[in-house]
Amino acid sequence: MRVGHVGINVKDMEVSKEFYINLFGFEVIFEETLEDKRYIFLGHDGEIIITLWEQAQNSFSKNTAGLHHLAFIVDSVDELKAFEKKLDDNNVSKIYDGIVSHAEGAQSGGVFFLDPSGVRLEVCIAEGIDECNPEIKDHSSCGFF
């Protein structure tokens, strides 16, 4: 079994669509408007990775049950650094300053940021993080943030 796709409620479809396409290079696989309801399937090579549903009236809240955060894995530290630069170049709101390890002494880590609706996102690497300390000392950087 594997994850099929992740559905995200968004406040503004056009802003969110542009965000995910520009940062992640997703392609539009399917898009539809039914009366006043809009949704879009985004992915790569015909495979749906995320779906956006324009139905949120408020920004993401970590105080309600549901998605904690969504993480994407890259293959190299260089790819992670390039993605962090892309975040900076696009003035994306980051949760932590720079790349942080998942825990003190961990070889894994990433960059944590927010989408336009406030959904918490992470782009990370499984190993190779040597010089980046965790932002939080008593638990994982992707834990209670």
Side-chain angles (χ1 to χ4, degrees):
M1 186 180 301
R2 63 187 177 93
V3 174
H5 66 271
V6 175
I8 301 172
N9 284 340
V10 299
K11 290 175 23 174
D12 184 318
M13 182 61 78
E14 287 307 313
V15 170
S16 294
K17 175 181 170 181
E18 181 179 325
F19 175 88
Y20 284 96
I21 288 173
N22 288 341
L23 281 181
F24 294 97
F26 290 144
E27 62 191 42
V28 175
I29 294 173
F30 183 78
E31 184 172 9
E32 187 169 45
T33 301
L34 301 170
E35 297 174 14
D36 62 339
K37 298 179 188 323
R38 295 181 66 195
Y39 65 99
I40 187 169
F41 295 172
L42 300 172
H44 290 296
D45 300 323
E47 181 181 350
I48 299 168
I49 297 174
I50 64 169
T51 59
L52 303 178
W53 304 88
E54 188 177 53
Q55 60 185 6
Q57 296 179 12
N58 299 310
S59 291
F60 177 83
S61 171
K62 64 181 180 181
N63 300 318
T64 58
L67 179 71
H68 182 273
H69 73 285
L70 175 58
F72 296 91
I73 297 176
V74 294
D75 294 325
S76 71
V77 173
D78 288 341
E79 194 175 355
L80 181 58
K81 288 178 179 178
F83 192 86
E84 181 191 20
K85 182 177 181 338
K86 189 184 275 191
L87 292 174
D88 292 339
D89 290 349
N90 285 280
N91 297 313
V92 174
S93 179
K94 290 193 283 186
I95 295 169
Y96 304 128
D97 186 29
I99 297 169
V100 298
S101 56
H102 283 130
E104 196 162 352
Q107 288 287 305
S108 63
V111 61
F112 297 80
F113 54 103
L114 303 173
D115 87 348
S117 295
V119 175
R120 299 179 298 185
L121 302 170
E122 170 187 4
V123 171
C124 62
I125 189 165
E127 59 184 11
I129 302 295
D130 296 323
E131 71 282 355
C132 303
N133 292 320
E135 185 72 18
I136 312 230
K137 300 291 184 197
D138 62 345
H139 60 80
S140 171
S141 298
C142 61
F144 297 99
F145 66 97

